[in-house]
Amino acid sequence: MDEQLFFKKLNSLCTSKEIFDFLSSLEVMSDTMASGALQRISEVEVDDNGLKNPEGVLENEVFRALCFRFEFESSRLSNTGLLNALQALIKLRIDPQSTLMASLLSEGKERLGKGQLTIKNLCALGESLLELEGPSCATLEQIVNHVQEKDIEKWSPREVTMVYKMLQVTVREGEQYQDLLNRLNSVTLTIASQLSPKFTSIILSSLVVLHQVQAVSLVAALCKHSVKHIPYFTDDELINVLEAFLYFGHREQIFTEALETHVPKSIFTMHPQTVSKVMQYCCRKMILSKPIFDAVAESFISDADRLTTDQIAEYMIPFGTLNYLPPSASSLFRKLETVLHARLSHFQPHTLLNLLHSCVLIQRYPVNFLPKIFSPYFLQQLQAQPPGLDIIVTSQLTRLFLTVNLECPFYEGPKLFPKYQVKAFLTPRSSLDVHLLKRVKTGLLYLLKKRIYFSSEVSTPYFYIVDIEIKLDEEGFVLPAAQCEEVHRRIALCVDGRNRFCINSHNLLGEEAIKQRHLQLLGYEVVQIPFFEIESLQNCRKMAEYLQKKIFPHTYRLSF
């Protein structure tokens, strides 16, 4: 039979019985046709749980005859027939130690040594060896050395992807194969739009493992073309894509919008680990996506009991970090409290602290669980496990302690010992917009005439650092910043640059929101100076006019 007609008929058959009956009717088959038949059998008979009907396939006379042919005629097979058969038999779970598999592998490696394999053959052999022997297979490096000699411009998307997979397990140090990687990255950039969801995910994952931080344009292109694949990624593939974008620090608005469309529709069929990764991506990128967060809240209310403790934390922490309460907040936190009561002892110490800390950022007070957090035993557990009691952990403990004192006066449990408290909450330099602060200080100098009337980056006795502090006496006159007597009012100016807000949003991040809330409770008059109100002010006079209205709204001033 003509090969084209053979494969057309073969691909129309849907059971192994139909395939065996069809093969029995043929008098002659090329090795390419025979290996194609094995591949089609593997497609219809193998699912996620393995071979569906082992006895019906492996004991079938036609199947045994095909295997006999491949075992004893391996040296006379074409490269395509040999390697396609090997891949199909691996998928059919044929014993790797059998004489059949040993014969095919031996023949494949011999042809590799003689340099007889095309790029397609090299990729097929590499894929088979990865399946059979894993990343430690020494022959993979030999395959990659042959790959380097091939004309990369003519490779198919499948071949490009397979080479990335082989490089991922063979590149162990330094600049090994970096020239090949540079050429591969360039070619992949030109075919990014042709890659399937599976290939896109594999390549992104490989770029992470291979530390290809210089391949910025390739990552951007893969991100752009990932948008159309989002509904079709498997859970594992989407996790790989998100991990890659986190690793490379990449973010694309159209990708976020595609997630916002997909996640709410698929939330109840997505694997919890995928949902966790989506939330981690949003949290790390400071993306407050209300459609995603609202859907995750509903999912948590329904499915929290089947989540691991790590997944519970990964679902919930972004709500506090990004300072967002969904419409179902009351049900959401009621469910969280129920889960905590049932499984509190199952949480790792640092995971539990992160979770409870995120709750207080959005005014959800875990008072029933704070006695455990402040207990000497729990603090010892924190200290014993990485990262120990570092500045971030002690800041979280201190913020919980301060929240209890300021916002939960009814709490009567143990408090945090002073030795576990920080002297001041560190303000990361990245969250303080130095340029914006300088513009505000210049405007204040224009308004108040002398620099002595305000101070910047002021440490308070209450752990917080105030961006700008102004002191007033009882009659509302501004006092020198160094004066400590007769201070009747303290004004805290919070100069909030973009880094203190969720991305593309006017929603303050959780730690900045709780800071401003606590400063008010501590007696400060908090005046927020957000970037979006002052970026358009073009000179000192405009800034001074703005600051007067914000800080002294009831004071009339004739002119500057």
Side-chain angles (χ1 to χ4, degrees):
M1 179 182 278
D2 174 73
E3 281 199 7
Q4 194 172 354
L5 286 173
F6 170 83
F7 282 107
K8 185 176 180 181
K9 172 70 175 172
L10 180 67
N11 291 328
S12 70
L13 304 176
C14 298
T15 67
S16 58
K17 184 180 183 310
E18 290 175 348
I19 295 169
F20 291 137
D21 289 344
F22 170 54
L23 297 180
S24 299
S25 70
L26 301 176
E27 291 184 13
V28 182
M29 264 190 298
S30 69
D31 63 357
T32 309
M33 293 159 73
S35 64
L38 287 177
Q39 286 190 313
R40 183 61 183 158
I41 292 165
S42 72
E43 289 168 5
V44 300
E45 287 294 340
V46 176
D47 59 19
D48 291 341
N49 299 314
L51 198 53
K52 290 186 275 190
N53 179 19
E55 196 172 307
V57 174
L58 304 182
E59 299 299 323
N60 182 277
E61 287 183 11
V62 177
F63 180 79
R64 292 165 72 90
L66 287 172
C67 291
F68 185 88
R69 176 179 176 181
F70 281 108
E71 181 176 347
F72 293 102
E73 296 182 11
S74 60
S75 63
R76 299 210 295 269
L77 298 172
S78 66
N79 289 341
T80 301
L82 172 74
L83 296 167
N84 284 355
L86 183 60
Q87 287 183 306
L89 292 168
I90 290 169
K91 195 172 178 183
L92 287 163
R93 311 290 203 274
I94 302 302
D95 182 6
Q97 306 303 320
S98 66
T99 54
L100 167 61
M101 298 297 279
S103 175
L104 294 175
L105 275 173
S106 174
E107 183 63 28
K109 289 179 181 179
E110 186 176 333
R111 295 185 192 189
L112 171 67
K114 293 177 179 177
Q116 296 174 347
L117 301 182
T118 65
I119 182 62
K120 186 176 182 179
N121 302 150
L122 289 167
C123 290
L125 181 59
E127 193 168 9
S128 298
L129 290 169
L130 273 173
E131 283 285 334
L132 287 175
E133 301 179 28
S136 59
C137 174
T139 312
L140 286 171
E141 197 160 337
Q142 190 181 349
I143 294 174
V144 172
N145 287 332
H146 282 281
V147 163
Q148 288 193 101
E149 300 165 6
K150 303 296 181 182
D151 183 2
I152 200 168
E153 305 294 334
K154 298 177 182 177
W155 293 359
S156 70
R158 181 180 185 83
E159 290 156 4
V160 166
T161 304
M162 194 58 230
V163 173
Y164 272 114
K165 276 185 78 172
M166 288 191 288
L167 285 169
Q168 183 176 330
V169 298
T170 54
V171 175
R172 295 182 185 88
E173 58 195 39
E175 298 298 308
Q176 189 185 23
Y177 300 122
Q178 189 57 53
D179 179 58
L180 172 59
L181 273 166
N182 290 341
R183 290 189 290 137
L184 196 58
N185 293 342
S186 297
V187 166
T188 308
L189 182 58
T190 66
I191 62 168
S193 61
Q194 303 169 35
L195 296 171
S196 67
K198 180 181 179 180
F199 292 167
T200 301
S201 171
I202 289 171
I203 291 172
L204 279 167
S205 187
S206 297
L207 291 172
V208 171
V209 174
L210 295 164
H211 308 298
Q212 296 298 289
V213 290
Q214 78 285 356
V216 178
S217 54
L218 174 56
V219 173
L222 291 171
C223 180
K224 178 182 175 183
H225 293 295
S226 292
V227 171
K228 63 178 182 286
H229 296 321
I230 283 179
Y232 310 106
F233 282 127
T234 65
D235 283 297
D236 287 341
E237 287 166 0
L238 183 55
I239 286 172
N240 285 343
V241 170
L242 291 169
E243 283 180 340
F245 294 158
L246 285 170
Y247 176 81
F248 290 109
H250 196 75
R251 178 182 57 79
E252 195 83 51
Q253 182 60 27
I254 55 171
F255 183 83
T256 302
E257 290 168 2
L259 277 179
E260 288 180 335
T261 301
H262 173 68
V263 172
K265 289 193 295 188
S266 311
I267 189 75
F268 290 104
T269 56
M270 291 172 74
H271 191 281
Q273 199 56 41
T274 313
V275 179
S276 294
K277 188 58 66 176
V278 169
M279 290 301 275
Q280 183 189 359
Y281 174 77
C282 289
C283 193
R284 292 257 300 273
K285 296 293 180 186
M286 299 193 297
I287 300 168
L288 175 55
S289 168
K290 293 182 181 181
I292 292 175
F293 278 50
D294 293 349
V296 170
E298 294 296 338
S299 170
F300 186 89
I301 293 164
S302 301
D303 300 331
D305 296 322
R306 70 184 181 96
L307 302 180
T308 67
T309 52
D310 282 345
Q311 288 166 352
I312 289 167
E314 287 158 357
Y315 272 51
M316 294 300 299
I317 287 172
F319 287 95
T321 304
L322 302 189
N323 185 29
Y324 177 64
L325 286 171
S328 59
S330 57
S331 300
L332 176 65
F333 285 93
R334 197 159 49 240
K335 182 66 177 182
L336 176 60
E337 187 170 13
T338 302
V339 169
L340 286 173
H341 275 298
R343 299 166 64 185
L344 191 67
S345 61
H346 299 169
F347 282 83
Q348 289 295 312
H350 286 282
T351 304
L352 183 59
L353 175 61
N354 285 333
L355 176 58
L356 299 186
H357 173 261
S358 73
C359 290
V360 301
L361 298 180
I362 42 177
Q363 296 178 276
R364 292 299 182 268
Y365 309 112
V367 288
N368 293 328
F369 310 106
L370 290 179
K372 177 183 176 77
I373 297 293
F374 294 148
S375 70
Y377 175 66
F378 184 82
L379 294 169
Q380 287 169 8
Q381 285 183 303
L382 283 175
Q383 192 160 15
Q385 295 180 10
L389 291 172
D390 66 8
I391 185 66
I392 294 173
V393 173
T394 49
S395 292
Q396 289 179 330
L397 287 168
T398 306
R399 200 173 277 110
L400 279 171
F401 166 71
L402 188 58
T403 300
V404 164
N405 285 345
L406 294 176
E407 302 184 64
C408 309
F410 49 85
Y411 173 77
E412 296 179 350
K415 302 292 176 71
L416 184 67
F417 293 126
K419 70 175 183 176
Y420 296 109
Q421 298 172 21
V422 293
K423 291 182 172 61
F425 294 128
L426 291 181
T427 302
R429 296 304 297 178
S430 60
S431 82
L432 182 63
D433 189 325
V434 179
H435 175 67
L436 207 64
L437 183 66
K438 184 177 179 181
R439 287 190 61 206
V440 172
K441 286 158 66 174
T442 303
L444 273 177
L445 186 59
Y446 195 94
L447 175 66
L448 301 177
K449 303 306 181 188
K450 289 186 179 179
R451 181 64 178 82
I452 63 168
Y453 290 118
F454 63 92
S455 50
S456 59
E457 298 182 68
V458 181
S459 296
T460 70
Y462 313 108
F463 314 110
Y464 289 112
I465 295 173
V466 174
D467 294 334
I468 295 175
E469 184 184 56
I470 298 173
K471 298 174 182 177
L472 305 179
D473 65 14
E474 193 168 358
E475 295 179 11
F477 290 106
V478 179
L479 298 171
Q483 185 170 323
C484 297
E485 299 83 24
E486 300 179 5
V487 178
H488 186 66
R489 294 162 56 198
R490 292 175 186 267
I491 298 175
L493 268 60
C494 295
V495 183
D496 294 328
R498 291 178 184 276
N499 289 343
R500 291 184 180 176
F501 293 88
C502 300
I503 206 80
N504 297 330
S505 165
H506 294 174
N507 194 79
L508 272 177
L509 296 172
E511 288 192 4
E512 189 60 29
I514 197 174
K515 170 186 172 179
Q516 296 185 18
R517 193 166 75 239
H518 282 177
L519 287 174
Q520 283 183 316
L521 291 169
L522 289 164
Y524 282 89
E525 293 179 32
V526 174
V527 176
Q528 188 187 13
I529 312 293
F531 73 93
F532 50 85
E533 289 183 1
I534 61 176
E535 276 188 337
S536 62
L537 301 179
Q538 295 170 348
N539 54 47
C540 286
R541 180 189 174 87
K542 296 276 187 190
M543 179 67 80
E545 289 173 352
Y546 166 84
L547 291 171
Q548 186 191 355
K549 289 174 186 174
K550 290 284 285 194
I551 305 169
F552 310 109
H554 305 299
T555 304
Y556 177 72
R557 186 174 181 113
L558 288 173
S559 62
F560 288 101

